[in-house]
Amino acid sequence: GRPIVAPDLGDLREVLTPDHDALLVPPDSPAAAAEALRSLLADADRRERLSANATATAEQYTWDARADKIVTFLQGLLSDQ
């Protein structure tokens, strides 16, 4: 339920979308991270939007969601036979 500020790394970009569900900042840049946090503190609407989208993104990666994807994948394999 919180906005995400994270380093802009390839593995995180596989899950997070800049300015949709996270603010991604250059790695090893405390100044950029501080500026991202300041921008969030100054913009309640953006905080709420990022938080809601981050929550929706996180729901795709629960154990139950992962199990559902595996079951769907396996059912697809079995139906092709």
Side-chain angles (χ1 to χ4, degrees):
R2 303 269 191 261
I4 297 171
V5 176
D8 191 359
L9 299 171
D11 58 341
L12 292 177
R13 275 186 174 262
E14 290 181 20
V15 177
L16 301 172
T17 303
D19 208 38
H20 171 73
D21 51 16
L23 294 182
L24 300 180
V25 298
D28 300 320
S29 179
E35 179 54 35
L37 292 171
R38 275 193 288 275
S39 76
L40 286 174
L41 289 171
D43 190 341
D45 290 339
R46 189 178 192 197
R47 272 195 322 269
E48 290 174 19
R49 178 179 52 81
L50 288 172
S51 295
N53 291 341
T55 298
T57 296
E59 289 171 358
Q60 298 173 33
Y61 295 94
T62 65
W63 286 108
D64 287 339
R66 182 70 180 138
D68 289 343
K69 288 178 185 176
I70 292 169
V71 166
T72 299
F73 172 76
L74 294 173
Q75 287 174 334
L77 287 178
L78 294 173
S79 68
D80 289 342
Q81 293 182 3

